[in-house]
Amino acid sequence: MKALVISGSSEIYDYVSPLLKEKGFDLIHYRWIVKALDNIEEIQPDIIVLSVIEYPRHWKTLAGFVQSGIGGNTVKVYLTETANFSVEDAAKADELGVKVFDKEFKERAFIPVEIAFNELHGMIHFESGKYYKDEELVELQFSPENEVSLTNDSYLNYVSLFDGNDITSCSAEVKEINGNNISLVVREL
């Protein structure tokens, strides 16, 4: 099995390579995405790992290229450093079948959702976001289109999620506000 790691960052490569070697992958490392694209047909990797921060637009091109079958029929693409991933990027990654990893390089599946919540002052907000669920945590992330008066540790009693099929109600606590990105931790589903 072959893993293609595309990153100019030695930190990412040094972190990812032991994990991939442990899983039985032979590693091929490229620092430049264009060179990797040129050689992907010859390499025929089983998985490709690259950084969203290093290649904020090119990962979509690579994923689409790989999806065409040029690099093999079952190539999986994994992204690292997705902390500031936009809602649009999350939806595009889902559409392209791209997997997303957090900083610890653990796979986290996400679902694009529409979010409705009441602010402390009674204002109702409707936002597009993404929903993560793993064994330890259920988390929502979104970038509000309008100004919200939330602070770190704000508690929201009424939050509704719509994933395109089902509506789920819950309460949530603000985990982090980072610029225009807000992360909520679901407390009761």
Side-chain angles (χ1 to χ4, degrees):
M1 294 188 307
K2 288 187 265 186
L4 173 59
V5 179
I6 305 169
S7 176
S9 166
S10 59
E11 182 180 301
I12 290 173
Y13 182 78
D14 291 345
Y15 189 78
V16 171
S17 60
L19 175 67
L20 293 172
K21 285 178 182 176
E22 181 182 302
K23 301 259 185 211
F25 286 98
D26 294 324
L27 297 181
I28 299 163
H29 182 212
Y30 278 83
R31 295 184 186 284
W32 304 102
I33 196 165
V34 174
K35 284 193 173 211
L37 280 167
D38 284 345
N39 295 316
I40 209 159
E41 191 172 8
E42 293 172 26
I43 297 169
Q44 296 280 314
D46 296 292
I47 68 168
I48 298 171
V49 179
L50 73 154
S51 164
V52 171
I53 290 175
E54 288 180 86
Y55 309 106
R57 292 183 300 271
H58 296 95
W59 69 263
K60 297 171 200 165
T61 303
L62 181 129
F65 188 68
V66 167
Q67 204 177 46
S68 74
I70 196 97
N73 291 327
T74 58
V75 181
K76 294 180 182 174
V77 177
Y78 294 94
L79 302 175
T80 64
E81 301 183 305
T82 60
N84 293 325
F85 216 37
S86 71
V87 173
E88 294 81 18
D89 283 343
K92 188 65 174 177
D94 187 47
E95 179 184 318
L96 291 169
V98 173
K99 306 286 186 196
V100 178
F101 286 78
D102 65 12
K103 288 181 182 175
E104 286 79 40
F105 208 75
K106 294 177 185 172
E107 188 173 336
R108 297 180 78 190
F110 64 89
I111 301 167
V113 292
E114 297 298 319
I115 303 167
F117 64 91
N118 287 32
E119 250 186 280
L120 301 173
H121 306 294
M123 180 75 157
I124 298 175
H125 290 273
F126 299 95
E127 305 290 347
S128 294
K130 51 191 173 181
Y131 171 84
Y132 293 95
K133 184 176 183 178
D134 57 33
E135 294 173 6
E136 303 167 10
L137 186 66
V138 177
E139 186 177 335
L140 299 168
Q141 293 181 354
F142 64 96
S143 299
E145 292 183 19
N146 300 307
E147 189 175 327
V148 296
S149 62
L150 298 176
T151 60
N152 286 329
D153 300 324
S154 291
Y155 193 83
L156 303 170
N157 287 320
Y158 305 104
V159 179
S160 296
L161 311 173
F162 178 63
D163 65 6
N165 295 315
D166 298 314
I167 297 175
T168 304
S169 296
C170 60
S171 58
E173 184 176 344
V174 174
K175 174 183 172 187
E176 179 181 28
I177 299 175
N178 184 1
N180 197 37
N181 297 313
I182 298 177
S183 295
L184 304 175
V185 176
V186 174
R187 293 298 178 208
E188 293 181 39
L189 202 56

